[in-house]
Amino acid sequence: MMIIFFSIMFFCGIWVFSSNRKHLLITLLSLEFIVLVLFLMLYIYLNGFNYELFFSMVFLTFSVCEGALGLSILVSMIRSYGNDYFQSYVMLQC
């Protein structure tokens, strides 16, 4: 039952990530949602088999680093261009 719930949440996060590409902030929030769903799935899986939860802490550390990197890219883009629209600036500029 929980697997179905988590898989629905995971695919909802992937759907938001792939369908809404106007703002960088929405894209980053959907990525964080996917990471949190994966963390919950990993935690329940490891807790069910009575494994050590050290790997979940390593996963959580990498997800925090990913979030901090995404926020720093968002802040630098907002400072450079004034907004977080993908249409307002060219990403592949030479």
Side-chain angles (χ1 to χ4, degrees):
M1 186 66 182
M2 291 296 280
I3 286 284
I4 295 170
F5 178 67
F6 284 134
S7 62
I8 289 172
M9 287 175 55
F10 179 74
F11 286 119
C12 284
I14 288 180
W15 180 66
V16 169
F17 177 72
S18 63
S19 67
N20 199 352
R21 294 188 179 181
K22 284 186 178 181
H23 296 281
L24 180 64
L25 183 61
I26 294 174
T27 305
L28 290 175
L29 283 175
S30 65
L31 280 176
E32 286 297 319
F33 180 74
I34 292 169
V35 166
L36 284 176
V37 169
L38 286 175
F39 173 70
L40 287 174
M41 287 172 59
L42 179 72
Y43 179 78
I44 289 175
Y45 178 77
L46 291 177
N47 203 10
F49 290 114
N50 292 328
Y51 286 138
E52 230 178 276
L53 297 175
F54 177 74
F55 183 71
S56 64
M57 291 302 293
V58 171
F59 182 79
L60 198 60
T61 304
F62 280 115
S63 66
V64 166
C65 292
E66 177 255 338
L69 183 64
L71 283 178
S72 66
I73 291 171
L74 176 70
V75 167
S76 68
M77 284 185 174
I78 288 176
R79 285 185 180 176
S80 299
Y81 297 102
N83 56 16
D84 67 335
Y85 289 126
F86 281 126
Q87 287 84 16
S88 66
Y89 49 88
V90 178
M91 294 293 286
L92 300 174
Q93 227 175 21
C94 294

